[in-house]
Amino acid sequence: MPKNDRARPPGPEPRPRPVLDEVDRRIVAELLRDGRTPNVVLARAAGIAESTCLSRVRALRERGIVTGVTAEVDLARVGLPVQAMVAIGFSGHLRADVDAFADEVSRLPGVVATYNISGANDFLVHVAAPTPEALRDFVLDNLTGRPGVVHAETSLVFHVNRGSDVLSAG
Amino acid sequence: MPKNDRARPPGPEPRPRPVLDEVDRRIVAELLRDGRTPNVVLARAAGIAESTCLSRVRALRERGIVTGVTAEVDLARVGLPVQAMVAIGFSGHLRADVDAFADEVSRLPGVVATYNISGANDFLVHVAAPTPEALRDFVLDNLTGRPGVVHAETSLVFHVNRGSDVLSAG
DNA sequence: ATTGAAATCACCTTTAT
DNA sequence: ATAAAGGTGATTTCAAT
């Protein structure tokens, strides 16, 4: 007698095999460290041939594991020395409103990222501005004023530390 | 009579001119969009010669404006489908303790970033974990347990939207 | 799927304007 | 700051396993 005789419903696999093998892990780790690492170096780091490495990297992109490569910019040095996290409380919680908020806010000038979260607040908006006044204007004009927003609490961001070992938790 | 007859102490310029000219802005914007953009394309996008573009990019790195290039990874697809923001309240607020917390926590497996902020809480720790249980363990073992931490409130992160127009706020 | 080798292409330096 | 040109080395394709 089988442990489970219900047929699995159609759709994406429920993750039968480990997500990343050791080779892929090394490639991803190296690309996290330096997204411009040339293919030759990547291949040596992973212990495989260059051509193999190339197809691996392509596969990682096609599988949606590596979604892009981006520059890291010191916002203070491009004229945006004031950063803040704005916690947003929402009213209706209709799916359409929630999605629209995230999409639209993410496109606003100065927005670093928008986090849709659980708990007392519904969003965290990470924003950068040239001056405290500009920050205030941003919050009043683009967040507080928006329909559905019932609460906005601004915290200054003094410093950001990027994690250096994200992958190891897997 | 000169407006200011004190001699400026030696060292880096106190930023007399605008931070980024139009050419640099275009380069940085393009590198934010795709950090692997080759120099030829970058040069065309900025409307300058390749050799000029090359020195511009070098200068941007040396000036600390572009601090690095990194891959963007879909954490859910590398075995870390559970993300959270943990708001941390601190007790002593000694500089050494605050700095140490940020540095050490950022090195822990699964930590995406650590934000030192103002307000009711002192830190936001963005963390990724394979399961809710692993998240709970992470918080109890690495955050709640740490000396100085008097409060920890965990919010699940449902979705993250990266900003697409950060620079325009400057 | 992985490889080594060969061809193509881009990067980067140099020179000179 | 630019353009042109050459050396260097990486990327990519391909036949073979």
Side-chain angles (χ1 to χ4, degrees):
Chain A
M1 175 188 186
K3 286 180 184 164
N4 186 347
D5 51 3
R6 272 181 306 160
R8 190 176 60 78
E13 296 263 6
R15 243 210 272 134
R17 51 184 186 282
V19 239
L20 285 191
D21 66 11
E22 188 50 34
V23 171
D24 282 335
R25 289 191 77 85
R26 287 200 197 165
I27 293 176
V28 173
E30 176 58 28
L31 286 178
L32 278 173
R33 209 188 53 74
D34 180 359
R36 293 200 72 128
T37 304
N39 188 60
V40 224
V41 180
L42 226 44
R44 276 197 287 269
I48 55 178
E50 297 177 26
S51 44
T52 314
C53 191
L54 208 59
S55 30
R56 288 277 192 156
V57 173
R58 246 198 301 268
L60 286 168
R61 288 178 152 278
E62 278 160 11
R63 287 201 277 161
I65 288 168
V66 172
T67 58
V69 176
T70 187
E72 291 174 308
V73 171
D74 186 331
L75 294 173
R77 300 197 192 189
V78 294
L80 301 169
V82 182
Q83 286 184 54
M85 277 288 185
V86 188
I88 299 288
F90 227 75
S91 64
H93 297 99
L94 294 176
R95 179 178 240 289
D97 293 343
V98 170
D99 290 350
F101 180 86
D103 284 357
E104 289 166 23
V105 169
S106 299
R107 271 187 263 280
L108 295 172
V111 171
V112 179
T114 306
Y115 301 86
N116 180 18
I117 62 174
S118 72
N121 291 297
D122 300 287
F123 285 98
L124 288 176
V125 180
H126 183 187
V127 61
T131 63
E133 292 75 29
L135 172 61
R136 172 178 166 277
D137 290 345
F138 175 88
V139 173
L140 293 177
D141 294 344
N142 296 309
L143 301 179
T144 305
R146 199 170 286 264
V149 172
V150 295
H151 181 72
E153 194 174 342
T154 302
S155 296
L156 289 181
V157 173
F158 297 133
H159 195 71
V160 184
N161 287 65
R162 280 191 59 93
S164 53
D165 196 21
V166 198
L167 285 187
S168 299
Chain B
M1 176 187 183
K3 286 180 186 166
N4 186 348
D5 52 2
R6 272 180 307 160
R8 191 175 59 77
E13 296 263 6
R15 244 213 272 133
R17 53 182 183 283
V19 239
L20 285 192
D21 65 13
E22 188 49 34
V23 170
D24 282 335
R25 290 190 77 84
R26 289 200 195 164
I27 293 176
V28 173
E30 176 59 26
L31 287 178
L32 279 173
R33 207 188 55 72
D34 180 0
R36 293 200 75 125
T37 304
N39 187 60
V40 224
V41 180
L42 224 45
R44 275 197 288 268
I48 55 175
E50 296 179 29
S51 46
T52 314
C53 190
L54 210 58
S55 29
R56 288 276 190 157
V57 173
R58 246 199 302 270
L60 285 169
R61 288 179 151 278
E62 277 162 12
R63 288 201 278 160
I65 289 169
V66 172
T67 58
V69 176
T70 187
E72 291 173 309
V73 172
D74 185 331
L75 294 173
R77 301 196 189 188
V78 294
L80 301 169
V82 181
Q83 284 185 54
M85 276 290 184
V86 189
I88 299 288
F90 226 76
S91 66
H93 297 97
L94 293 176
R95 180 177 239 292
D97 294 343
V98 170
D99 290 350
F101 180 87
D103 284 357
E104 290 166 22
V105 169
S106 299
R107 270 187 264 279
L108 295 173
V111 171
V112 180
T114 305
Y115 301 86
N116 181 16
I117 62 175
S118 72
N121 291 298
D122 300 288
F123 284 99
L124 288 176
V125 180
H126 183 188
V127 61
T131 62
E133 292 75 30
L135 172 61
R136 171 178 168 277
D137 289 347
F138 174 89
V139 173
L140 292 178
D141 294 344
N142 297 116
L143 300 179
T144 304
R146 198 170 286 266
V149 172
V150 295
H151 182 72
E153 194 174 344
T154 302
S155 296
L156 289 181
V157 172
F158 298 132
H159 194 73
V160 185
N161 287 65
R162 279 189 59 95
S164 53
D165 196 23
V166 199
L167 285 188
S168 299

